[in-house]
Each structure stands twice: as structure tokens, then as C-alpha cells.
Amino acid sequence: MTDTKGTGIMNHLFAGWDPWHGPIPARSAGALVADRPGAATAFAISNLQERGEIFIEPQTDVYEGMVIGENARPNDMDVNVTKEKKQTNMRASTADEAIRLIPPRKLGLEQAIEFINDDELVEVTPKSIRLRKRMLAANQRPRRAD
């Protein structure tokens, strides 16, 4: 863009076909899937960080079946990302520790398409790119045997 100042023209020539190299490998890790609608909380995300890598920020609206992260293990896991901290009127010296969140991994369109498995879809809207399961309801989704 800087070399052509936005006036560059791109074209290509078809080079040929390659022989079949076998099936395209899928990712070996599972997904962290939201199990209920609501707004994601920092408290829930901080507890889920040890389970895998998170794709969303706090206060993001989620829905059942939305993929919110990558599980460290091979199977998919339904998680409650809307869970809030229990409020109490008792005071303790360690009760209000600061929550430290690892910055979420933001997926672009190409990274999202690379990431999905056969049972997942990419939603593209003007404001966001989201991943979701093909079947949103957890009781209707088949379990992945790994």
C-alpha cells in the first residue's frame, strides 16, 4: 500500500493442479463453548484462563453455542462465562484481589476460518467476527469422541 499509494493493481495466472496430498489436518485441541446467554465477566474469564486460551473480552455479549476460546484438551467443554463473584457482607484481607487477565487472542477472518472444525461456523458481522457451533444447544450437539 505504501509503495503504490493505494493505486496498485494485482493479478495472477493459474499455475496448475497439484496431486492430492491427503486430508487437511484439523486442530487437535477442543473449544471452550458458552453454555448460556449473557455478558462475559472478568471473574469467569480469569477462572477459565487455566483451561485454555480465551478469544473474548469482559462485557462481550455471548450466547449458547458461541465458541469463546480454545481448550487445552482435545474435547470441547461447555463453560459458564457469565458467572459473577458471590457477594457477601463479610470482609477478609484476601477477598478483593485484583483480577489479572491475559489479553484475548483476536481472530481475523482468515485465522477464524483456519481455526474452525467441521462442526463449527464463522459469523461475520460489520462489528465482529465470531465462532459458533453448528448446533447451538448443548444437548443437541454430538459429543466428539477423542
Side-chain angles (χ1 to χ4, degrees), residues 15 22 28 31 34 44 49 53 69 79 89 91-93 95 104-105 111 117-118 130 139 145:
S28 59
Q49 287 180 145
E53 192 170 7
V79 295
N89 61 358
R91 295 181 186 250
S93 61
R105 179 169 69 167
Q111 292 91 9
N117 273 335
D118 293 337
R130 293 186 295 257
N139 58 357

Side-chain angles (χ1 to χ4, degrees), residues 53-109:
E53 192 170 7
I54 305 295
F55 299 155
I56 62 170
E57 295 176 338
Q59 301 306 312
T60 301
D61 288 328
V62 298
Y63 53 87
E64 183 179 7
M66 182 175 166
V67 175
I68 58 130
E70 181 178 10
N71 194 0
R73 297 192 176 177
N75 52 352
D76 294 341
M77 181 184 300
D78 292 324
V79 295
N80 180 4
V81 74
T82 63
K83 184 164 90 171
E84 296 181 359
K85 186 176 180 181
K86 298 279 189 215
Q87 297 296 323
T88 179
N89 61 358
M90 300 298 288
R91 295 181 186 250
S93 61
T94 60
D96 292 328
E97 294 178 2
I99 296 174
R100 297 188 193 274
L101 295 178
I102 298 169
R105 179 169 69 167
K106 294 291 184 187
L107 297 176
L109 182 59

Side-chain angles (χ1 to χ4, degrees), residues 3 26 35 37-38 44 46 51 53-54 59 68 82 91 95 102 104 109 117 122 129 132 134 137 140 143:
D3 291 340
D35 66 351
S46 69
R51 301 273 187 191
E53 192 170 7
I54 305 295
Q59 301 306 312
I68 58 130
T82 63
R91 295 181 186 250
I102 298 169
L109 182 59
N117 273 335
V122 177
I129 296 172
R132 59 165 272 198
R134 198 174 290 270
Q140 295 176 352
R143 293 281 176 204

